[in-house]
Amino acid sequence: AQKVTQAQTEISVVEKEDVTLDCVYETRDTTYYLFWYKQPPSGELVFLIRRNSFDEQNEISGRYSWNFQKSTSSFNFTITASQVVDSAVYFCALSDRNSGNTPLVFGKGTRLSVIA
Amino acid sequence: EAGVTQSPTHLIKTRGQQATLRCSPISGHTSVYWYQQALGLGLQFLLWYDEGEERNRGNFPPRFSGRQFPNYSSELNVNALELEDSALYLCASSLAVDRILPTFGSGTRLTVV
C-alpha cells in the first residue's frame, strides 16, 4: 500500500534561515512519481515539483532544492534563505502507476512559518 | 487559460442537511478528483471521475457521492451532514492520459453547525 509520511507537523524559522522539510514514502511498485505542493492561506494547492522513480538526480530551482534518495525512500525539500512569503503548508505526495486507479496519496503536510 | 474553479467558496450548513459542491475543470481535462482536507488529517481522496464515470472512491461513507456531467464539470454531494464533515473540499482535474499531474482549485470550505 502507498503511504507518505511527513513527520514534521510544524516548523518555524527566522527569515533567511535554510529549512528542510522531510518526506518519507512507502510503495511496493518500482514505477512511481513523487510530488511537492505548496498550500498558501488561500487554500489552493500549488504544484512545485514532480519526480519519477527512475530519476534520482537532485534538482534545484532558485531557492528550492529537492533531494530524492531511493535507498531511504525519502524525497526531502529544502528552502534556502527562507522568506516570509514561503509561509504555507507543504505537502508531499505519491502516485503509484501500477496500483490501478489510485490518484495522488498525500502526507499530512508540514506547516512552515517564516518569521521576519 | 482558466484554472480549476470551485463554487461556492464558502458554505455553511446545518447538521442533517445536504451540501452540493461544484467544480469546473481546466478546458480539455476529462478527469476530476475530489479531496477532503479536514483539520489535522491532511488530504484524503474522496472520488475520481473520468469521462462521466466514477473510477474510484476513497474510504468514505455512501452519503458522499457525486457525478460528472458531459462537459466534464462535477458535483460533490454530501447528504445527512455531520459536524465532522466540516473541511476544505478540493477539486482537481487532469488530462486522462496524465492523471498523475492534477491541477487543483482553491476549494470550498464547508462548515457544518
Side-chain angles (χ1 to χ4, degrees):
Chain A
Q2 300 170 290
K3 186 178 179 182
V4 176
T5 301
Q6 294 180 256
Q8 304 148 308
T9 306
E10 293 190 39
I11 299 177
S12 188
V13 298
V14 176
E15 202 171 23
K16 297 184 184 176
E17 284 186 350
D18 298 347
V19 58
T20 295
L21 309 181
D22 298 333
C23 173
V24 174
Y25 62 92
E26 292 177 30
T27 177
R28 283 183 236 164
D29 291 311
T30 57
T31 304
Y32 52 89
Y33 290 81
L34 295 163
F35 302 74
W36 276 96
Y37 283 86
K38 174 182 179 180
Q39 186 179 42
S42 60
E44 176 181 0
L45 281 178
V46 178
F47 167 76
L48 295 177
I49 190 172
R50 176 181 71 176
R51 301 308 298 276
N52 73 54
S53 51
F54 298 107
D55 183 3
E56 284 193 77
Q57 281 194 359
N58 292 330
E59 183 157 338
I60 298 174
S61 176
R63 296 184 297 107
Y64 294 170
S65 62
W66 290 270
N67 184 338
F68 176 26
Q69 291 196 344
K70 286 176 79 170
S71 60
T72 55
S73 296
S74 64
F75 186 44
N76 297 338
F77 172 32
T78 298
I79 302 174
T80 303
S82 60
Q83 300 176 0
V84 173
V85 293
D86 296 327
S87 297
V89 181
Y90 291 86
F91 289 95
C92 181
L94 166 70
S95 179
D96 197 327
R97 264 205 183 274
N98 296 324
S99 63
N101 297 329
T102 306
L104 293 181
V105 172
F106 287 84
K108 293 192 176 180
T110 297
R111 180 176 298 278
L112 173 65
S113 298
V114 181
I115 304 164
Chain B
E1 177 186 88
V4 177
T5 56
Q6 293 186 244
S7 63
T9 307
H10 293 85
L11 188 59
I12 300 175
K13 290 286 186 177
T14 304
R15 191 169 48 184
Q17 284 188 318
Q18 179 197 44
T20 298
L21 288 62
R22 296 180 177 84
C23 173
S24 292
I26 289 174
S27 178
H29 285 189
T30 61
S31 280
V32 170
Y33 313 85
W34 288 95
Y35 283 83
Q36 182 196 64
Q37 186 179 7
L39 196 62
L41 294 180
L43 283 96
Q44 307 288 318
F45 166 66
L46 259 168
L47 288 160
W48 171 28
Y49 292 96
D50 183 63
E51 296 286 355
E53 294 191 13
E54 182 180 300
R55 299 296 185 186
N56 199 5
R57 65 179 291 130
N59 189 23
F60 282 84
R63 56 191 187 82
F64 287 84
S65 65
R67 55 180 171 166
Q68 187 178 33
F69 299 99
N71 66 354
Y72 303 115
S73 66
S74 177
E75 235 175 44
L76 172 68
N77 295 295
V78 188
N79 294 319
L81 284 165
E82 300 178 1
L83 295 178
E84 50 265 35
D85 296 333
S86 295
L88 179 68
Y89 289 83
L90 288 165
C91 172
S93 72
S94 72
L95 295 168
V97 295
D98 194 14
R99 60 180 176 83
I100 55 173
L101 187 56
T103 301
F104 284 82
S106 297
T108 293
R109 184 160 297 282
L110 172 64
T111 301
V112 183
V113 298

